[in-house]
Amino acid sequence: MRTLSLPARSSHLPLQTLSIVVVGASGDLAKKKTYPSLLNLFEDNLLPESTVIWGYARSAKTHQGLRDHLYPHLIKTGAGEIVVKDFLKMCFYHSGKSYGDEEAYTQMISNLSEFEARSPSATCNRLYYLAIPPNVFGESGVAIRKVGMALTGWTRVIIEKPFGRDLDTCNELLETLATQFDEDHLYRIDHYLGKVRTLNAGKVYQ
């Protein structure tokens, strides 16, 4: 398997490895909010030196296809072209048949594990950002729990409202997630405040 090449970054942050997975990476929320927010963290040197960002969705794309998809939206943030291109070198992509496709998640996590194994830190954290409709939160959470939990650090799963269509579907969703994760794994946020929380997500491990 080809070794992933990442840009060198200096950082004042604790020596920890961070693997970020944006589930729903090909969608509007990801390209307009999630990735631009992660770019801001990168530009402000608020990501650990050893960081990788994987996008997961159902659309068939290559790594470069994802980068080309994101570039026009990232350059609109006002970040310099060099910064944007360096950030995109950290970004990779994997597709699956569904958002609960355990085989596809397993293949992607294998890549994460290789990256973590080469990192200089003994602590390897994983952050999952679910930029997907609420009706597939549950199946994504099940797949993450089965094959994607961090082995030597924390695991965080960020979900955005709306949490279901009504009270009944909201409770059903929360019960499904509660069977898979402890409360300290989950972060529930308002859709329109998602960018703010993502900007702060890099500080969670401190």
Side-chain angles (χ1 to χ4, degrees), residues 54-138:
W54 276 86
Y56 177 90
R58 292 172 298 181
S59 303
K61 291 184 185 295
T62 62
H63 300 321
Q64 190 59 46
L66 174 69
R67 295 165 187 152
D68 293 343
H69 173 74
L70 295 174
Y71 181 84
H73 302 276
L74 298 180
I75 207 70
K76 289 179 183 178
T77 65
E81 184 175 3
I82 293 176
V83 172
V84 171
K85 288 184 175 179
D86 281 347
F87 171 76
L88 287 172
K89 292 176 184 177
M90 302 170 59
C91 298
F92 302 89
Y93 185 79
H94 195 88
S95 63
K97 296 178 181 178
S98 70
Y99 288 112
D101 186 343
E102 291 180 25
E103 182 179 356
Y105 274 88
T106 298
Q107 293 168 353
M108 179 178 62
I109 296 304
S110 176
N111 290 318
L112 288 186
S113 297
E114 288 189 8
F115 170 75
E116 292 168 349
R118 297 194 305 273
S119 75
S121 171
T123 302
C124 298
N125 303 313
R126 294 177 181 175
L127 173 66
Y128 295 88
Y129 197 105
L130 304 191
I132 51 178
N135 64 305
V136 288
F137 283 169

Side-chain angles (χ1 to χ4, degrees), residues 23-42:
V23 182
S26 63
D28 282 349
L29 176 59
K31 70 183 181 183
K32 293 179 180 178
K33 297 293 184 182
T34 312
Y35 278 98
S37 298
L38 292 171
L39 171 64
N40 289 339
L41 285 173
F42 175 80

